[in-house]
Amino acid sequence: MPETLLITNGHVIDPANHIDKKCDVLIIDGKVEEVADHIPNKGGKNSAEKKVIDASGKLVTPGLIDIHVHFREPGDEEEETITSGSAAAVAAGFTSVVCMPNTKPPVEDETDVEYIHRKGRQARKTHVYTMGSITKGQEGIELAEMGFMAEAGAVGFTDDGRGLQNTSVMLKALKYASMFNKVIAQHCQDDTIAGEGVMNAGYFSTILGLPGIDSLAEQAILWRDIQLVKKLRNGNVRYHAQHISTVSSVELIRQAKKESLPVTCEVTPHHLLFTEEMCAEYDTNYKVNPPLRTAADVAALKEAIAEGLVDALVTDHAPHLQSEKELEFLSAPFGIASLECALGLYVKVLIEPGILDWPGLIKLLTIGPAGVIGIDKGSLSKGKQGDVTIIDPKAEYKIDVNTFHSKSRNCPYNNWKVTGRVEKTIVGGEIRFEAPA
Ligand SMILES: [Zn+2]
Ligand SMILES: [Zn+2]
């Protein structure tokens, strides 16, 4: 049962309501009742017995949202399950996550969507949402049952893991999803250019003797998709570019936003923290898709964030078995498991160098991502679900993969020293995570 919670003395950051000051937050029956300078514990209009959480010296924010995670269920439960992924999510401060549908089999009808939701409810940790596949079997040919999936609560559609290649299928998908007011999210990659590439195409792929993925692969698909959005710009069409990674993508997004097209985008921590050079030791923990790019690309992504061109920060949490990641670079799977250390990484790469301040960061983890998928979350407005994250912005700690709730350890951040720790995660008025003392 959700309790009546009174969070006192914290510094509340609620970008949606332009709140950035010390105040109290009251949650009753799982919903936000009030945010005010001082809410008395006893008496007043809310006389119910309150559990008081003293948040002195802490940040109190709307529950964080990650709209791009892979929880691997069904099909690869040894890598992650909805239960283990959900536990990792709340430990990282995320009160809502969006699972990608490239499971085995992929999420492609309403029963699949309901399955993910049910598993999420049973886990009783974070709110678990899912996107549905755009095409049947994610084969890029025939549209999946998008209408039924939308009805069952899918928050958008993607064939993530690969890009949707066929232009006329993409055009139909955008039109069809818009009838249900859902977003189409794209893993922007042209297969004919990317080929069998395993890292960024350039100097390092040449000296390492590894096949490369040219940044043109991302640019080509993103450019094409934006042309389709332009053609369909009336109505409810919404397009989201997932994990953009290049200078040219930033330029395309900048132009699309200038033209007020319904185009959004997201960026991952690894594309901000690493360059292609990290692959020089053939360490498969740096094998991701899209690949780690050049210093110029990283700089462009940071600039885009500072400029307000990026709508959401996402982890693209992609857990894999150690045995798979121990394969040689050519054969190992793509992906980094980063959900559980995300906040510390964002602080390191965005707050410490002054690219964003705390309200700027929290915006890209709350109301920003909520807006991309169109869910009524990401703020502490009265009546909203009582999802709250309490953060100690000064706590320093070492990332230790052995403490992860996630089942996977394919994480290049092990032993990194970071600042900014999640203290408590409150979901629907229930404390679902508390940092060990
Ligand atoms: Zn992807
Ligand atoms: Zn992904």
Side-chain angles (χ1 to χ4, degrees):
M1 269 295 285
E3 295 170 281
T4 295
L5 294 179
L6 177 60
I7 307 165
T8 60
N9 298 315
H11 184 107
V12 175
I13 296 178
D14 179 9
N17 289 307
H18 308 287
I19 299 173
D20 176 18
K21 61 172 184 175
K22 200 174 151 196
C23 50
D24 298 346
V25 178
L26 178 64
I27 299 172
I28 298 181
D29 290 335
K31 296 210 161 74
V32 177
E33 172 67 24
E34 194 180 5
V35 177
D37 286 350
H38 177 67
I39 302 172
N41 184 17
K42 295 240 157 50
K45 56 180 173 156
N46 303 303
S47 54
E49 187 66 28
K50 301 179 185 78
K51 181 182 166 77
V52 177
I53 298 172
D54 179 16
S56 303
K58 311 287 193 297
L59 304 178
V60 177
T61 75
L64 309 184
I65 301 170
D66 189 342
I67 58 169
H68 193 149
V69 301
H70 296 266
F71 280 177
R72 305 297 187 210
E73 189 175 355
D76 282 313
E77 285 85 352
E78 67 288 1
E79 294 180 341
E80 198 77 288
T81 60
I82 291 169
T83 304
S84 64
S86 297
V90 285
F94 293 105
T95 58
S96 296
V97 296
V98 178
C99 295
M100 292 298 110
N102 64 334
T103 46
K104 294 173 189 159
V107 175
E108 57 183 9
D109 64 26
E110 70 273 30
T111 330
D112 301 335
V113 171
E114 281 158 9
Y115 174 83
I116 306 290
H117 288 165
R118 187 168 65 249
K119 287 281 180 177
R121 283 194 302 275
Q122 285 167 351
R124 283 188 73 77
K125 293 289 185 190
T126 189
H127 296 291
V128 176
Y129 295 91
T130 189
M131 287 202 188
S133 303
I134 302 175
T135 63
K136 286 187 179 159
Q138 303 199 320
E139 284 167 357
I141 302 162
E142 207 184 322
L143 290 186
E145 299 287 1
M146 287 162 63
F148 290 130
M149 287 191 278
E151 219 166 278
V155 292
F157 301 97
T158 180
D159 278 357
D160 183 47
R162 49 187 311 196
L164 177 49
Q165 307 295 306
N166 186 304
T167 309
S168 101
V169 174
M170 188 48 145
L171 188 63
K172 273 187 218 146
L174 285 163
K175 271 193 213 164
Y176 200 43
S178 76
M179 290 166 54
F180 312 104
N181 198 16
K182 300 288 176 193
V183 68
I184 289 286
Q186 171 80 299
H187 173 120
C188 301
Q189 192 166 78
D190 183 314
D191 285 350
T192 60
I193 299 170
E196 298 299 309
V198 294
M199 66 174 293
N200 187 46
Y203 172 76
F204 283 95
S205 65
T206 307
I207 59 165
L208 294 168
L210 291 170
I213 301 174
D214 198 284
S215 63
L216 182 62
E218 185 170 308
Q219 185 184 3
I221 288 284
L222 182 54
W223 180 84
R224 177 204 71 181
D225 288 350
I226 290 172
Q227 307 316 304
L228 300 180
V229 171
K230 256 189 212 176
K231 191 175 163 60
L232 299 171
R233 69 186 300 169
N234 295 322
N236 291 326
V237 167
R238 271 154 58 216
Y239 174 85
H240 180 65
Q242 298 180 292
H243 44 46
I244 60 163
S245 69
T246 70
V247 171
S248 47
S249 293
V250 168
E251 194 36 58
L252 286 166
I253 295 284
R254 184 179 283 121
Q255 194 52 41
K257 294 215 167 192
K258 217 181 261 173
E259 295 174 36
S260 302
L261 294 174
V263 171
T264 53
C265 72
E266 63 182 36
V267 171
T268 72
H270 46 271
H271 289 116
L272 295 168
L273 283 158
F274 300 130
T275 61
E276 54 179 352
E277 210 176 329
M278 302 308 290
C279 303
E281 305 285 318
Y282 297 97
D283 182 341
T284 59
N285 272 335
Y286 299 102
K287 182 177 175 185
V288 281
N289 191 5
L292 303 174
R293 304 288 190 181
T294 67
D297 294 306
V298 171
L301 293 176
K302 289 179 179 172
E303 217 178 280
I305 289 172
E307 213 179 306
L309 293 176
V310 174
D311 300 273
L313 293 166
V314 302
T315 57
D316 194 4
H317 173 68
H320 285 294
L321 287 179
Q322 210 51 33
S323 56
E324 283 185 308
K325 275 291 194 182
E326 276 164 11
L327 295 170
E328 57 169 337
F329 205 92
L330 275 174
S331 332
F334 292 101
I336 291 176
S338 57
L339 189 57
E340 241 156 312
C341 45
L343 184 71
L345 300 176
Y346 294 135
V347 171
K348 185 184 267 308
V349 76
L350 295 172
I351 294 206
E352 285 169 8
I355 295 166
L356 289 179
D357 56 11
W358 273 100
L361 175 63
I362 297 303
K363 184 180 174 195
L364 296 186
L365 293 168
T366 56
I367 196 70
V372 170
I373 55 170
I375 58 168
D376 188 24
K377 283 190 182 287
S379 83
L380 296 175
S381 302
K382 184 179 163 76
K384 296 282 155 123
Q385 220 159 16
D387 297 347
V388 177
T389 304
I390 301 179
I391 296 164
D392 184 342
K394 297 215 162 68
E396 292 177 20
Y397 64 101
K398 213 188 225 183
I399 294 168
D400 177 1
V401 294
N402 296 312
T403 64
F404 280 6
H405 297 78
S406 167
K407 284 191 170 188
S408 289
R409 301 287 179 265
N410 53 307
C411 175
Y413 311 110
N414 194 32
N415 287 324
W416 278 33
K417 272 198 192 130
V418 291
T419 307
R421 192 169 82 141
V422 173
E423 289 286 311
K424 281 188 180 59
T425 307
I426 299 163
V427 181
E430 286 184 11
I431 301 173
R432 298 269 174 92
F433 172 79
E434 276 186 273

